[in-house]
Amino acid sequence: MSKRIVIAGAGHAAGQVVASLQQHKFDGQIALVGDEPYLPYQRPPLSKKFLAGEMPAERLYVKPASFYEDAGVELHLDTTIEALDRETRSLSVSNGDPVSYDALVLALGSRVRRLPVSGTDLEGVHYLRSITDVEAIRADFDKGRRLVVIGAGYIGLEVAAVARQGGLDVTVIEMEDRVMSRVVSPEISDYYQIEHANQGVKLQLSTGVEGINGKKRVKSVTTSDGEEIPADVVVIGVGIEPNTALARDAGLDVDNGIVVDDHCRTSDPHIYAIGDCTMHPNGIYGRSLRLESVHNALEQAKTAVANICGIDTAYNQVPWFWSDQYDLKLQIAGLSEGYDDVVIRGNPAERSFSCLYLREGQLIAVDAINAPRDFVQSKQLIADGTILDADRLADSDVTLKELAS
């Protein structure tokens, strides 16, 4: 077993690595290096309860400071990793001497994709990825202000929902012809577009952004149609990109993510990688995936630690995701790409229903809106490759578990 574990990154997955090492009674040294001044924390609440002011910062932390103290973790926070030297097994860092390792876990996460237009550096223009980002956005969220959200993915729509509930005037600009187009079907997109419109959000779909205008502070956003939309605040949410430069520069295999096997090992047997930054094999779907998912990050953390501790463990799970917008909880199990049939269970008008995706009769994914039972029961059916009768699926009085049996 390795005597010194170093974790590069200080997000949710990094916190899980420390917790899992404790659960496995690891008695060696643990060091954690992160570029933010915070202990490992959860990111999903940033665009939800934390943005809304319903959750204090301390509740974001995966574990309190005392946990890391009791575990004897050597913390290098507010520290940038400048290089990875695989020969000496060490990290060059911005603060202090190189940090050496026997086994290294790359939990590098991802960064926001930048919008390539002028004006993104104006006051009042924000990206959302960190506690610091959200604190700056909240300071601008005064009731009655005009907010323009660029991007209608999870983050953009969650921000729009919080802002409308806080009394801001909200416009969402999206290049695609529907919201959340990368992750849900047209049926789900339509439902959310109607919901946001009913809540007073102005949606401009199939629309790009040419520029953000103002002298010192943002005043407006110019769209690809030439329209100038007044704006007191702008939040940009156009996706994220995996942090792979450190791995690539060190000569590790990288392909839209740090390439790992089903044990979370990289091309260097002394280095593991977990979370948003990884490209990993998935036996359920028969291909490699890069997932932007808390579930994936946490489970990969557990898998990496088990293998570091000498317990042969393979990672092969159904991906899942969620989004909270207004009183709607969207829970997604599986990946719907490539479906050839879709079944609606429940009544959308009652704000509780599911959208089930089939390929040749096999359940491959479920989008559940305020329907937690369908979400929970679908995960095992997806993992098992269960063939289901599409006609019977529409009967929400019969559980998915009953249909499978």
Side-chain angles (χ1 to χ4, degrees), residues 48 153-155 157-158 180 192 321-325 328-332 368:
K48 305 176 182 75
Y154 291 147
I155 297 297
L157 294 184
E158 288 171 358
M180 298 189 289
Y192 274 86
F321 319 83
W322 83 95
S323 177
D324 293 328
Q325 299 169 41
L328 302 175
K329 177 174 282 294
L330 169 62
Q331 294 172 293
I332 299 175

Side-chain angles (χ1 to χ4, degrees), residues 50-376:
F50 186 63
L51 178 60
E54 298 172 0
M55 176 185 284
E58 55 268 23
R59 282 188 54 202
L60 292 172
Y61 294 126
V62 177
K63 296 287 185 181
S66 58
F67 171 80
Y68 300 94
E69 293 170 6
D70 293 344
V73 178
E74 178 187 309
L75 293 173
H76 300 262
L77 301 179
D78 209 10
T79 299
T80 301
I81 300 172
E82 298 174 338
L84 162 58
D85 188 327
R86 292 165 55 195
E87 274 193 35
T88 62
R89 294 190 200 167
S90 65
L91 300 173
S92 297
V93 297
S94 58
N95 300 332
D97 297 329
V99 180
S100 61
Y101 65 86
D102 292 318
L104 174 65
V105 180
L106 298 177
L108 300 171
S110 51
R111 63 192 182 280
V112 293
R113 181 174 288 116
R114 299 287 166 173
L115 187 67
V117 301
S118 61
T120 57
D121 57 346
L122 291 170
E123 290 182 11
V125 178
H126 305 276
Y127 291 90
L128 194 161
R129 189 62 184 163
S130 68
I131 289 175
T132 302
D133 293 338
V134 176
E135 289 175 340
I137 294 170
R138 281 201 313 211
D140 275 344
F141 263 25
D142 293 334
K143 186 175 182 179
R145 275 190 160 177
R146 297 163 299 184
L147 166 68
V148 172
V149 177
I150 301 174
Y154 291 147
I155 297 297
L157 294 184
E158 288 171 358
V159 168
V162 170
R164 277 303 298 142
Q165 290 171 311
L168 280 77
D169 179 272
V170 180
T171 299
V172 176
I173 302 173
E174 169 57 45
M175 288 187 63
E176 301 298 330
D177 61 0
R178 59 187 179 89
V179 304
M180 298 189 289
S181 62
R182 196 165 62 90
V183 292
V184 300
S185 67
E187 290 85 353
I188 299 296
S189 291
D190 289 347
Y191 187 81
Y192 274 86
Q193 286 165 202
I194 293 169
E195 177 66 22
H196 278 277
N198 288 342
Q199 296 283 351
V201 174
K202 295 178 281 293
L203 291 168
Q204 297 210 4
L205 305 176
S206 301
T207 304
V209 172
E210 292 297 316
I212 301 173
N213 315 305
K215 291 186 177 179
K216 184 177 180 183
R217 185 175 179 89
V218 61
K219 294 296 182 184
S220 65
V221 174
T222 302
T223 71
S224 55
D225 299 328
E227 181 182 0
E228 193 165 322
I229 303 174
D232 303 304
V233 190
V234 172
V235 175
I236 302 170
V238 292
I240 61 175
E241 298 175 334
N243 288 323
T244 59
L246 182 71
R248 180 181 288 109
D249 292 347
L252 296 175
D253 290 347
V254 172
D255 180 13
N256 186 34
I258 303 169
V259 177
V260 298
D261 62 16
D262 61 358
H263 286 58
C264 297
R265 290 192 190 93
T266 69
S267 51
D268 183 324
H270 300 288
I271 302 176
Y272 296 75
I274 60 176
D276 289 5
C277 66
T278 68
M279 176 66 83
H280 64 277
N282 183 285
I284 295 169
Y285 292 95
R287 58 190 175 94
S288 290
L289 305 173
R290 188 179 68 78
L291 298 172
E292 299 161 9
S293 158
V294 171
H295 165 254
N296 174 67
L298 298 183
E299 293 304 318
Q300 282 193 317
K302 296 173 185 177
T303 299
V305 169
N307 287 295
I308 288 171
C309 292
I311 303 168
D312 186 70
T313 304
Y315 175 62
N316 187 41
Q317 297 195 21
V318 173
W320 60 267
F321 319 83
W322 83 95
S323 177
D324 293 328
Q325 299 169 41
Y326 308 110
D327 64 337
L328 302 175
K329 177 174 282 294
L330 169 62
Q331 294 172 293
I332 299 175
L335 302 173
S336 59
E337 181 182 345
Y339 69 92
D340 56 29
D341 195 8
V342 60
V343 176
I344 302 296
R345 281 169 58 87
N347 185 356
E350 296 177 356
R351 304 177 76 77
S352 176
F353 70 101
S354 297
C355 188
L356 290 78
Y357 304 93
L358 305 173
R359 184 170 57 225
E360 296 180 354
Q362 178 181 328
L363 184 67
I364 60 171
V366 171
D367 295 340
I369 296 176
N370 292 341
R373 185 176 67 178
D374 281 357
F375 168 71
V376 170

Side-chain angles (χ1 to χ4, degrees), residues 6-84:
V6 173
I7 308 158
H12 203 159
Q16 182 61 55
V17 170
V18 178
S20 293
L21 285 169
Q22 291 298 97
Q23 290 165 0
H24 284 281
K25 303 190 185 307
F26 176 73
D27 59 2
Q29 297 177 335
I30 305 170
L32 184 150
V33 186
D35 59 5
E36 292 187 65
Y38 308 106
L39 293 169
Y41 65 90
Q42 308 169 66
R43 293 192 192 274
L46 292 180
S47 56
K48 305 176 182 75
K49 289 189 175 182
F50 186 63
L51 178 60
E54 298 172 0
M55 176 185 284
E58 55 268 23
R59 282 188 54 202
L60 292 172
Y61 294 126
V62 177
K63 296 287 185 181
S66 58
F67 171 80
Y68 300 94
E69 293 170 6
D70 293 344
V73 178
E74 178 187 309
L75 293 173
H76 300 262
L77 301 179
D78 209 10
T79 299
T80 301
I81 300 172
E82 298 174 338
L84 162 58

